[in-house]
């Protein structure tokens, strides 16, 4: 059994199946059956991935009768995107500085 301890959006998105679920839900809400139908995995396996995404704050779920309807929560995804963007900028600056140093050394 999976135990969740303060998982970030990046933690839950580390799995390719969960990333694919997020991509599916980017187009809009879907019920659990519609999501599971798009995978070769068993419904319980997809359900477990949905649970991880909900616990990680990436998805929100609501009940309509006997169905569970899932949708994205954009806030954690935006936070993860901001962090990744900051890291990309940091690396770009470091590589630019390295390139400048190497060019000066070559002169």
């Amino acid at each position: 059994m999976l135990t969740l301890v303060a998982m970030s959006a990046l933690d839950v998105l580390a799995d390719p199946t969960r990333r694919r679920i997020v991509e599916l839900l980017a187009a809009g809400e879907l019920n659990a059956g519609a999501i599971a139908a798009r995978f070769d995995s068993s419904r319980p396996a997809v359900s477990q991935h949905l649970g991880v995404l909900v616990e990680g704050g990436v998805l929100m779920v609501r009940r309509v009768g006997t169905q569970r309807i899932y949708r994205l929560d954009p806030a954690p995804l935006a936070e993860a995107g901001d962090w990744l963007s900051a890291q990309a900028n940091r690396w770009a600056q470091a590589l630019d500085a390295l390139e400048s140093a190497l060019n000066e050394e070559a002169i």
Side-chain angles (χ1 to χ4, degrees):
M1 175 128 212
L2 180 64
T3 303
L4 298 173
V5 179
M7 295 181 78
S8 74
L10 293 174
D11 292 325
V12 299
L13 293 174
D15 183 89
T17 300
R18 292 194 287 266
R19 287 193 304 269
R20 193 161 155 228
I21 291 170
V22 168
E23 291 168 0
L24 288 171
L25 292 171
E29 295 182 333
L30 289 172
N31 67 38
I35 295 167
R38 307 244 172 107
F39 292 89
D40 292 333
S41 329
S42 68
R43 284 183 183 251
V46 173
S47 180
Q48 193 170 26
H49 285 296
L50 290 168
V52 171
L53 289 162
V54 169
E55 288 294 324
V58 174
L59 298 184
M60 292 186 275
V61 61
R62 63 185 168 87
R63 285 189 177 266
V64 176
T66 59
Q67 292 187 358
R68 289 181 179 206
I69 310 296
Y70 292 88
R71 70 181 172 97
L72 291 178
D73 183 352
L77 297 173
E79 184 179 323
D82 291 345
W83 184 84
L84 288 169
S85 180
Q87 298 312 305
N89 287 337
R90 178 182 297 162
W91 276 100
Q93 290 173 357
L95 291 172
D96 288 346
L98 176 61
E99 181 181 33
S100 293
L102 291 172
N103 287 338
E104 285 178 16
E105 193 173 291
I107 295 178

